[in-house]
Amino acid sequence: LFVNNKGGFSFKKHKDDTNVYLYVVKGKKHVYMNDSVITVSKGEGIHIPKGVYHKVDSEPDTWALSIGYFDE
């Protein structure tokens, strides 16, 4: 569970070694990926494939689950 009380970017642009499912529990996040920005609000989620560069900007008081998983 990631809690971002102040808002802003959690990490610099990066890629992960696993697929990631990002689910917003409270608030709103803006996911920068593949030359676009996708807004993910409370109750929504987004799949970030492994190896894809991305960064995430949170609005103040945002909570999210980040779940890494491998393909079979």
Side-chain angles (χ1 to χ4, degrees):
L1 176 65
F2 288 97
V3 175
N4 194 325
N5 292 321
K6 294 181 181 181
F9 289 97
S10 304
F11 300 97
K12 294 180 181 180
K13 187 174 180 181
H14 68 284
K15 62 182 179 176
D16 294 302
D17 293 337
T18 64
N19 296 298
V20 173
Y21 183 73
L22 181 66
Y23 178 80
V24 177
V25 176
K26 177 183 178 184
K28 191 179 291 185
K29 289 186 171 279
H30 307 283
V31 180
Y32 293 74
M33 179 174 63
N34 294 332
D35 298 324
S36 63
V37 181
I38 302 148
T39 299
V40 186
S41 300
K42 177 183 174 182
E44 298 176 340
I46 186 170
H47 167 78
I48 303 170
K50 72 178 180 179
V52 173
Y53 281 97
H54 62 282
K55 63 181 179 178
V56 181
D57 184 20
S58 298
E59 292 190 0
D61 199 24
T62 295
W63 298 14
L65 297 172
S66 181
I67 302 161
Y69 64 96
F70 293 98
D71 290 330
E72 291 186 34

